[in-house]
Amino acid sequence: TQLLEQSPQFLSIQEGENLTVYCNSSSVFSSLQWYRQEPGEGPVLLVTVVTGGEVKKLKRLTFQFGDARKDSSLHITAAQPGDTGLYLCAGAENNDMRFGAGTRLTVKP
Amino acid sequence: NAGVTQTPKFRVLKTGQSMTLLCAQDMNHEYMYWYRQDPGMGLRLIHYSVGEGTTAKGEVPDGYNVSRLKKQNFLLGLESAAPSQTSVYFCASRRTGRHEQFFGPGTRLTVL
């Protein structure tokens, strides 16, 4: 059983569409991170959220941390083919990190 | 700066063989991690280290050993490889007080 549940597992959309992916847990985390991973490479950090209710924007990406610090969402506006990849959320517990299984996003031109 | 490097990139082992995966980072980070990534299961933490000479177990430590003799290196050992250890292994590091982990490019290991 994953400590962090991500949904949907797979998402295929057309260029220009909006989308939201979710990361949910029954545990409280001191911080939550979103990473993007491309095939054959390691994950690369997109954002870290620390405060309950926090919203961060990174160009067309909007990240939100739930008030109870148990869940998070990632919204992409006007998706582009370059957004294609595996999106992973990760929660910090003391010194270690727990990752979700990821959402594999495909944006078709 | 090379960041985080991993060697080898690919390896095929027979059941029962042993091997060591090497992770090196040149960012002077205190924390280092070893993960395995399997389809549909995301990244699972094997072992981690909060500093030179210290290691701790993660979520899936069985069948693996680690050593952190130097701050810049974190070694992952498989004493007797099993097919269940077929996976992609990632090393990561981070600085104390910072959340961001920097990942290496991964090692793809197949155990026959």
Side-chain angles (χ1 to χ4, degrees):
Chain A
T1 303
Q2 294 285 140
L3 187 63
L4 286 159
E5 297 288 339
Q6 290 191 244
S7 61
Q9 191 175 355
F10 299 94
L11 185 58
S12 181
I13 60 172
Q14 292 294 135
E15 182 176 1
E17 293 183 1
N18 302 332
L19 67 113
T20 302
V21 298
Y22 301 92
C23 175
N24 296 300
S25 176
S26 58
S27 299
V28 176
F29 295 104
S30 57
S31 70
L32 195 140
Q33 301 175 11
W34 284 92
Y35 290 81
R36 180 164 162 263
Q37 185 179 19
E38 299 198 31
E41 299 181 8
V44 176
L45 182 72
L46 294 173
V47 78
T48 298
V49 285
V50 178
T51 307
E54 184 176 2
V55 177
K56 280 191 174 180
K57 292 192 175 184
L58 185 66
K59 296 182 180 179
R60 294 176 292 101
L61 278 62
T62 302
F63 304 85
Q64 185 162 5
F65 201 13
D67 291 340
R69 291 189 289 131
K70 293 182 179 181
D71 52 81
S72 181
S73 64
L74 159 58
H75 181 80
I76 301 179
T77 303
Q80 299 176 1
D83 295 326
T84 293
L86 179 66
Y87 289 82
L88 297 161
C89 67
E93 275 192 326
N94 298 317
N95 291 320
D96 68 30
M97 297 286 291
R98 298 301 174 101
F99 281 79
T103 292
R104 189 165 298 279
L105 172 66
T106 302
V107 183
K108 301 175 183 177
Chain B
N1 287 347
V4 180
T5 58
Q6 293 182 231
T7 53
K9 286 185 168 49
F10 302 93
R11 185 72 186 269
V12 178
L13 290 179
K14 294 182 180 179
T15 297
Q17 288 185 318
S18 63
M19 78 162 295
T20 300
L21 282 67
L22 171 64
C23 175
Q25 52 95 6
D26 61 2
M27 297 173 283
N28 201 34
H29 286 173
E30 293 77 18
Y31 289 75
M32 296 187 75
Y33 303 82
W34 274 108
Y35 295 91
R36 60 178 290 173
Q37 186 173 35
D38 302 291
M41 301 194 71
L43 287 156
R44 290 183 292 168
L45 182 65
I46 304 171
H47 287 280
Y48 64 96
S49 169
V50 302
E52 181 179 327
T54 71
T55 62
K57 293 180 180 180
E59 185 183 356
V60 288
D62 295 342
Y64 305 95
N65 56 77
V66 289
S67 64
R68 183 105 180 261
L69 298 179
K70 294 182 179 181
K71 187 177 184 179
Q72 62 268 34
N73 295 336
F74 196 27
L75 279 63
L76 177 70
L78 286 73
E79 289 186 351
S80 180
S84 61
Q85 293 178 303
T86 293
S87 188
V88 181
Y89 291 85
F90 286 98
C91 175
S93 70
R94 72 172 175 94
R95 189 180 304 283
T96 301
R98 299 295 300 269
H99 300 285
E100 179 178 12
Q101 292 193 26
F102 292 82
F103 283 83
T107 294
R108 185 174 293 276
L109 175 66
T110 301
V111 182
L112 303 175

